[in-house]
Amino acid sequence: MFELLGITPQALYSQLLVGLINGSFYALLSLGLAVIFGMLNIINFTHGAQYMLGAFLAWIGLTQLGPWLGSPDFSLNYWAALIVVPLLVGALGIVIERTMLRHLYKLDHLYGLLLTFGIALIIEGLFRQWHGSSGKSYDIPEVLRGAINLGFMYLPKYRAWVIVASLTVCFATWFVIERTKLGSYLRAGTENPRLVQAFGINVPLMITLTYGFGVALAGFAGVLAAPIFTVSPQMGADLIIVVFAVVVIGGMGSILGSIVTGLALGLVEGLTKVFYPEASAVVVFVIMSIVLLVRPAGLFGREK
Amino acid sequence: MKRKLVSLAVAAALTLAPGALVAQQKGGLKLSDGVVKIGILTDMSGLYADLSGAGSITAAKMAIEDFRAQEKGNVFPIELVYGDHQNKGDVASNKAREWFERDKVDMIGDLVTTSTALAVMPIAKQANRITIVSGAASTLITGKNCTDTNVHYVYDTYALANGTGKAVVKQGGDSWFFLTADYAFGHSLEKDTSDVVKANGGKVLGAVRHPFPGTDFSSFLLKAQSSGAKVIGLANAGTDTTNSIKQAAEFGIMPKQSLAGLLMFLTDIHSLGLKTAQNMYLTEGFYWDFNAETRAWSKRYYDQHKRMPTMVQAGVYSSTMHYLKAVKAAGTDEAKAVMAKMKQTPVNDFFAKNARIRDDGRLVHDFYLLQVKKPEESKYPWDYYHVRQVIPAADAVGPAANSECPLMKK
């Protein structure tokens, strides 16, 4: 069969694995969007910029922070960045939610979309002004350099780490929201905030923290991405459109849907790159159109 | 979605000429609207914004100021406008129409990204205005798609292929696989380099086209890896190239196979860092640190822009100056007359020596085969290249006999 298609099984496996790596980025980013939309009904267009911010803060931590603080030897290494940067990006998200977004909850989705889109443009513009558009390099941490020979391909250790890290975070998020008491408060808070508040739960605080968490996921993905991609102001804008398509295909607001769809679309894209690379940028949108025609609420979404 | 929503126009006037009367006499010149209006249409927000973008606008402003100073203030009114074409042909052509029809722009410069240059050129021809392409690379611009109102000022894929391609084959890199940006520029660069490789006794094993702009190149790199070619030719530019190089290192492609960046700019090397980019060959039409004259101009530019100029930005300065001088010499801003003067007068400045514009619009000037320095060889900021060879103008441009441009067969 492989000979008929003009491709070796080795090539196919390696392309599928690469697809899975991209899929784990899609899953991680669309998960954040799904959490925010599911809980807050906000279409968070700032997500791409927050992802970029994560990557940039990691770069700043590694190369700039020491000189700024007056001790050139100090730097925030990759592992510390994985924890600190999402917290910082999440905190910025909370500031945005507290000062701006919360005024828009009662209005149409479109207002939230426009506001977050505007904020994204401002953040990206500031970084372009500050660092230019050609981007910065972030070195892969020492431990994860090199590759593992899988027989059919050399899998860079760092890429293997990306799959493990993002799947762990995705699963943990799903578990917390769908299977714990805290998660049930969150879901109830979205369905009927007044009733939940009547039980003595601070719903506005919960919503703020949820937004912060969703945004922190984007920051986390940014740190994961920094050693692979050139850290540049437009890195989020390039990715965010695909990620939105993933969310739409999975069903807006569906946690499990966004994870599964993210991974699956990574694989589909990988396959497309094997057989007809020119179409690899379009295939996600073709699938999106078909899904919208057949199941307007998305593969995992519920009709309201 | 994002870019669709971005407002397209950003316009700034350097000087103002009140009134827009047709064919006014200004300083003894016949100007169509009483003012010579220059438009810089470039990438202000995307992956090419560093190598052209705001830096090109700075260069055009400098050219206008210097021209005024040379003429001791006794000049016709000059105005500068600029816009973001987002690397999209349709956005570029809409903007160009608006500029020509409503805003009376006389010349559009920069035009980075081949697809935008090819979109704007025929519109300019129709409106009888001038285009000077400094940013775009395809040989189509002076080939099949040439126009008599266009100049291709800085570089093209033929020059790049002949510089880098030839040098790499001579060093033993005789089997190639291409990683190509899937649009006019990438195709053109791939074709021209393939021709050079074959002509020098090498083989081309295949190519893969990636969507433009791309982010993850690992699938394409794996294909290139399994091809077994000695050299992987990167027929792309900007962050597409830097991402490809970065990810190739990750997948252990080097040192078994080597990479050839077929179009790289000073800003790409600045972004990659010498550690990653060292020893790579590249071809450029200008290098700031080539001689005293280039250094002097580049330092003035640096004072304004805080970065050293790329060949595109230096080209925007030189071409804008050449254009303004031609307007003065022609005594009018009518496109045909100005173009005739531009082609008649050789360019003689820090950018090019005794360079002439051919009938097809190509400025024939020297190129440089460069090699990126090792980190320890770099002595001061932006000291990035060894100049390995000056490629004489005659070898750097495609032979006139093979031209597909009808204007050349007169």
Short mmCIF file of all heavy atoms in Angstrom, two decimals, chain B residues 190-230:
data_model
loop_
_atom_site.label_atom_id
_atom_site.label_comp_id
_atom_site.label_asym_id
_atom_site.label_seq_id
_atom_site.Cartn_x
_atom_site.Cartn_y
_atom_site.Cartn_z
N GLU B 190 13.56 28.96 -6.39
CA GLU B 190 13.84 27.53 -6.55
C GLU B 190 14.27 27.23 -7.99
O GLU B 190 15.26 26.53 -8.24
CB GLU B 190 12.58 26.71 -6.19
CG GLU B 190 12.79 25.21 -6.31
CD GLU B 190 11.46 24.45 -6.32
OE1 GLU B 190 10.58 24.78 -5.50
OE2 GLU B 190 11.31 23.55 -7.15
N LYS B 191 13.55 27.81 -8.94
CA LYS B 191 13.85 27.54 -10.35
C LYS B 191 15.23 28.08 -10.72
O LYS B 191 16.04 27.37 -11.31
CB LYS B 191 12.78 28.18 -11.23
CG LYS B 191 12.94 27.82 -12.69
CD LYS B 191 12.07 28.67 -13.60
CE LYS B 191 12.59 28.63 -15.01
NZ LYS B 191 13.86 29.36 -15.20
N ASP B 192 15.50 29.33 -10.33
CA ASP B 192 16.78 29.93 -10.71
C ASP B 192 17.94 29.18 -10.08
O ASP B 192 18.99 29.00 -10.71
CB ASP B 192 16.82 31.41 -10.32
CG ASP B 192 15.93 32.25 -11.24
OD1 ASP B 192 15.65 31.77 -12.35
OD2 ASP B 192 15.51 33.34 -10.83
N THR B 193 17.77 28.76 -8.82
CA THR B 193 18.87 28.04 -8.16
C THR B 193 19.04 26.66 -8.79
O THR B 193 20.17 26.22 -9.01
CB THR B 193 18.61 27.92 -6.65
OG1 THR B 193 18.17 29.18 -6.16
CG2 THR B 193 19.87 27.51 -5.91
N SER B 194 17.92 25.98 -9.09
CA SER B 194 18.02 24.67 -9.75
C SER B 194 18.83 24.79 -11.03
O SER B 194 19.69 23.97 -11.31
CB SER B 194 16.63 24.13 -10.11
OG SER B 194 15.86 23.97 -8.97
N ASP B 195 18.53 25.82 -11.81
CA ASP B 195 19.25 26.01 -13.06
C ASP B 195 20.76 26.15 -12.82
O ASP B 195 21.56 25.55 -13.53
CB ASP B 195 18.74 27.28 -13.79
CG ASP B 195 17.33 27.07 -14.32
OD1 ASP B 195 16.88 25.89 -14.33
OD2 ASP B 195 16.68 28.06 -14.70
N VAL B 196 21.10 26.95 -11.82
CA VAL B 196 22.52 27.17 -11.52
C VAL B 196 23.17 25.87 -11.06
O VAL B 196 24.28 25.53 -11.49
CB VAL B 196 22.68 28.27 -10.44
CG1 VAL B 196 24.12 28.32 -9.94
CG2 VAL B 196 22.26 29.60 -10.99
N VAL B 197 22.48 25.13 -10.18
CA VAL B 197 23.02 23.88 -9.67
C VAL B 197 23.29 22.92 -10.83
O VAL B 197 24.37 22.35 -10.94
CB VAL B 197 22.05 23.24 -8.65
CG1 VAL B 197 22.47 21.82 -8.30
CG2 VAL B 197 22.00 24.08 -7.38
N LYS B 198 22.29 22.78 -11.71
CA LYS B 198 22.44 21.86 -12.83
C LYS B 198 23.56 22.32 -13.78
O LYS B 198 24.37 21.52 -14.23
CB LYS B 198 21.12 21.73 -13.60
CG LYS B 198 20.10 20.90 -12.84
CD LYS B 198 18.79 20.87 -13.61
CE LYS B 198 17.63 20.51 -12.71
NZ LYS B 198 16.35 21.03 -13.22
N ALA B 199 23.60 23.62 -14.04
CA ALA B 199 24.61 24.15 -14.96
C ALA B 199 26.02 23.91 -14.43
O ALA B 199 26.96 23.81 -15.19
CB ALA B 199 24.38 25.63 -15.20
N ASN B 200 26.14 23.81 -13.09
CA ASN B 200 27.46 23.61 -12.52
C ASN B 200 27.73 22.14 -12.19
O ASN B 200 28.63 21.82 -11.41
CB ASN B 200 27.63 24.47 -11.27
CG ASN B 200 27.83 25.92 -11.64
OD1 ASN B 200 28.91 26.35 -12.01
ND2 ASN B 200 26.74 26.69 -11.61
N GLY B 201 26.91 21.26 -12.75
CA GLY B 201 27.18 19.83 -12.61
C GLY B 201 26.53 19.17 -11.42
O GLY B 201 26.80 18.02 -11.12
N GLY B 202 25.63 19.89 -10.72
CA GLY B 202 24.96 19.29 -9.56
C GLY B 202 23.61 18.67 -9.95
O GLY B 202 23.18 18.76 -11.09
N LYS B 203 22.98 18.01 -8.95
CA LYS B 203 21.69 17.38 -9.19
C LYS B 203 20.64 17.98 -8.26
O LYS B 203 20.95 18.38 -7.14
CB LYS B 203 21.77 15.88 -8.85
CG LYS B 203 22.41 15.02 -9.92
CD LYS B 203 22.24 13.55 -9.57
CE LYS B 203 22.63 13.24 -8.16
NZ LYS B 203 23.70 12.39 -7.82
N VAL B 204 19.40 18.03 -8.72
CA VAL B 204 18.31 18.46 -7.83
C VAL B 204 17.44 17.24 -7.57
O VAL B 204 16.88 16.65 -8.49
CB VAL B 204 17.48 19.58 -8.48
CG1 VAL B 204 16.30 19.92 -7.60
CG2 VAL B 204 18.35 20.81 -8.68
N LEU B 205 17.33 16.84 -6.29
CA LEU B 205 16.63 15.60 -5.96
C LEU B 205 15.14 15.81 -5.72
O LEU B 205 14.36 14.87 -5.77
CB LEU B 205 17.25 14.95 -4.72
CG LEU B 205 18.74 14.62 -4.84
CD1 LEU B 205 19.25 13.97 -3.58
CD2 LEU B 205 19.00 13.71 -6.03
N GLY B 206 14.74 17.03 -5.45
CA GLY B 206 13.32 17.25 -5.22
C GLY B 206 13.08 18.56 -4.50
O GLY B 206 14.02 19.31 -4.21
N ALA B 207 11.80 18.83 -4.21
CA ALA B 207 11.45 20.06 -3.52
C ALA B 207 10.14 19.86 -2.78
O ALA B 207 9.33 19.02 -3.16
CB ALA B 207 11.30 21.20 -4.52
N VAL B 208 9.96 20.61 -1.70
CA VAL B 208 8.67 20.58 -1.02
C VAL B 208 8.24 22.04 -0.83
O VAL B 208 9.05 22.89 -0.50
CB VAL B 208 8.75 19.80 0.31
CG1 VAL B 208 9.76 20.40 1.26
CG2 VAL B 208 7.39 19.71 0.97
N ARG B 209 6.97 22.30 -1.11
CA ARG B 209 6.47 23.68 -0.99
C ARG B 209 5.71 23.83 0.31
O ARG B 209 4.78 23.08 0.57
CB ARG B 209 5.53 23.99 -2.15
CG ARG B 209 6.19 24.58 -3.36
CD ARG B 209 6.64 23.51 -4.33
NE ARG B 209 7.49 24.02 -5.39
CZ ARG B 209 7.06 24.21 -6.65
NH1 ARG B 209 5.81 23.97 -6.97
NH2 ARG B 209 7.89 24.66 -7.55
N HIS B 210 6.09 24.83 1.10
CA HIS B 210 5.37 25.04 2.36
C HIS B 210 4.49 26.28 2.27
O HIS B 210 4.81 27.23 1.56
CB HIS B 210 6.35 25.14 3.53
CG HIS B 210 7.20 26.37 3.53
ND1 HIS B 210 6.72 27.60 3.90
CD2 HIS B 210 8.50 26.56 3.22
CE1 HIS B 210 7.69 28.50 3.80
NE2 HIS B 210 8.78 27.89 3.39
N PRO B 211 3.35 26.28 3.00
CA PRO B 211 2.47 27.45 2.97
C PRO B 211 3.19 28.70 3.46
O PRO B 211 4.08 28.61 4.30
CB PRO B 211 1.35 27.07 3.95
CG PRO B 211 1.43 25.60 4.11
CD PRO B 211 2.84 25.21 3.87
N PHE B 212 2.81 29.84 2.96
CA PHE B 212 3.45 31.11 3.34
C PHE B 212 2.45 31.99 4.07
O PHE B 212 1.36 32.18 3.56
CB PHE B 212 3.94 31.81 2.09
CG PHE B 212 4.28 33.27 2.29
CD1 PHE B 212 5.47 33.63 2.89
CD2 PHE B 212 3.38 34.27 1.91
CE1 PHE B 212 5.79 34.95 3.09
CE2 PHE B 212 3.70 35.61 2.11
CZ PHE B 212 4.90 35.95 2.70
N PRO B 213 2.79 32.58 5.23
CA PRO B 213 3.97 32.27 6.03
C PRO B 213 3.74 31.01 6.85
O PRO B 213 2.59 30.69 7.18
CB PRO B 213 4.07 33.49 6.95
CG PRO B 213 2.69 34.02 7.06
CD PRO B 213 1.97 33.65 5.82
N GLY B 214 4.79 30.30 7.18
CA GLY B 214 4.65 29.06 7.94
C GLY B 214 5.16 29.22 9.35
O GLY B 214 5.78 30.23 9.68
N THR B 215 4.89 28.24 10.23
CA THR B 215 5.48 28.29 11.57
C THR B 215 6.27 27.02 11.84
O THR B 215 7.42 27.07 12.24
CB THR B 215 4.42 28.43 12.69
OG1 THR B 215 3.25 27.74 12.26
CG2 THR B 215 4.12 29.85 13.00
N ASP B 216 5.64 25.86 11.58
CA ASP B 216 6.35 24.63 11.87
C ASP B 216 6.84 24.01 10.57
O ASP B 216 6.06 23.72 9.67
CB ASP B 216 5.44 23.65 12.60
CG ASP B 216 6.22 22.42 13.01
OD1 ASP B 216 7.21 22.59 13.73
OD2 ASP B 216 5.88 21.32 12.57
N PHE B 217 8.16 23.81 10.49
CA PHE B 217 8.74 23.30 9.25
C PHE B 217 9.24 21.88 9.41
O PHE B 217 9.89 21.35 8.54
CB PHE B 217 9.89 24.22 8.81
CG PHE B 217 9.41 25.59 8.45
CD1 PHE B 217 9.33 26.58 9.40
CD2 PHE B 217 9.00 25.85 7.16
CE1 PHE B 217 8.84 27.83 9.08
CE2 PHE B 217 8.51 27.10 6.83
CZ PHE B 217 8.44 28.08 7.79
N SER B 218 8.90 21.26 10.56
CA SER B 218 9.53 19.97 10.83
C SER B 218 9.14 18.91 9.80
O SER B 218 9.98 18.14 9.36
CB SER B 218 9.25 19.52 12.26
OG SER B 218 7.93 19.77 12.61
N SER B 219 7.87 18.88 9.39
CA SER B 219 7.46 17.88 8.39
C SER B 219 8.27 18.04 7.12
O SER B 219 8.73 17.07 6.53
CB SER B 219 6.00 18.06 8.01
OG SER B 219 5.21 18.04 9.12
N PHE B 220 8.43 19.28 6.70
CA PHE B 220 9.14 19.55 5.44
C PHE B 220 10.61 19.21 5.59
O PHE B 220 11.23 18.68 4.68
CB PHE B 220 8.94 21.00 5.04
CG PHE B 220 7.50 21.42 5.07
CD1 PHE B 220 7.07 22.44 5.91
CD2 PHE B 220 6.56 20.78 4.28
CE1 PHE B 220 5.74 22.80 5.96
CE2 PHE B 220 5.23 21.14 4.32
CZ PHE B 220 4.82 22.16 5.17
N LEU B 221 11.15 19.52 6.77
CA LEU B 221 12.55 19.22 7.01
C LEU B 221 12.79 17.71 7.02
O LEU B 221 13.81 17.22 6.54
CB LEU B 221 13.01 19.84 8.33
CG LEU B 221 13.17 21.36 8.28
CD1 LEU B 221 13.27 21.94 9.68
CD2 LEU B 221 14.41 21.75 7.48
N LEU B 222 11.82 16.95 7.55
CA LEU B 222 11.96 15.49 7.55
C LEU B 222 12.01 14.96 6.13
O LEU B 222 12.76 14.05 5.81
CB LEU B 222 10.79 14.85 8.31
CG LEU B 222 10.85 14.94 9.83
CD1 LEU B 222 9.61 14.31 10.45
CD2 LEU B 222 12.10 14.25 10.36
N LYS B 223 11.17 15.55 5.27
CA LYS B 223 11.20 15.13 3.86
C LYS B 223 12.56 15.43 3.25
O LYS B 223 13.13 14.60 2.53
CB LYS B 223 10.13 15.89 3.07
CG LYS B 223 8.76 15.29 3.19
CD LYS B 223 7.86 15.84 2.11
CE LYS B 223 6.55 15.08 2.11
NZ LYS B 223 5.61 15.61 1.11
N ALA B 224 13.06 16.62 3.55
CA ALA B 224 14.37 16.99 3.02
C ALA B 224 15.44 16.06 3.55
O ALA B 224 16.35 15.65 2.84
CB ALA B 224 14.68 18.43 3.41
N GLN B 225 15.30 15.68 4.82
CA GLN B 225 16.27 14.79 5.45
C GLN B 225 16.26 13.43 4.76
O GLN B 225 17.32 12.89 4.43
CB GLN B 225 15.91 14.62 6.92
CG GLN B 225 16.99 14.01 7.77
CD GLN B 225 16.63 14.07 9.26
OE1 GLN B 225 15.45 14.04 9.62
NE2 GLN B 225 17.63 14.16 10.10
N SER B 226 15.06 12.91 4.49
CA SER B 226 15.01 11.56 3.91
C SER B 226 15.40 11.57 2.44
O SER B 226 15.66 10.52 1.86
CB SER B 226 13.63 10.95 4.12
OG SER B 226 12.66 11.72 3.49
N SER B 227 15.45 12.74 1.81
CA SER B 227 15.88 12.80 0.41
C SER B 227 17.36 12.45 0.27
O SER B 227 17.81 12.04 -0.79
CB SER B 227 15.64 14.20 -0.16
OG SER B 227 16.64 15.08 0.32
N GLY B 228 18.11 12.63 1.35
CA GLY B 228 19.54 12.31 1.31
C GLY B 228 20.38 13.33 0.57
O GLY B 228 21.57 13.13 0.36
N ALA B 229 19.78 14.45 0.18
CA ALA B 229 20.54 15.48 -0.54
C ALA B 229 21.62 16.07 0.37
O ALA B 229 21.43 16.17 1.58
CB ALA B 229 19.61 16.57 -1.02
N LYS B 230 22.75 16.46 -0.23
CA LYS B 230 23.82 17.05 0.58
C LYS B 230 23.45 18.45 1.07
O LYS B 230 23.85 18.88 2.13
CB LYS B 230 25.10 17.15 -0.26
CG LYS B 230 25.81 15.83 -0.46
CD LYS B 230 27.16 16.08 -1.12
CE LYS B 230 27.70 14.81 -1.75
NZ LYS B 230 28.77 15.11 -2.70
#
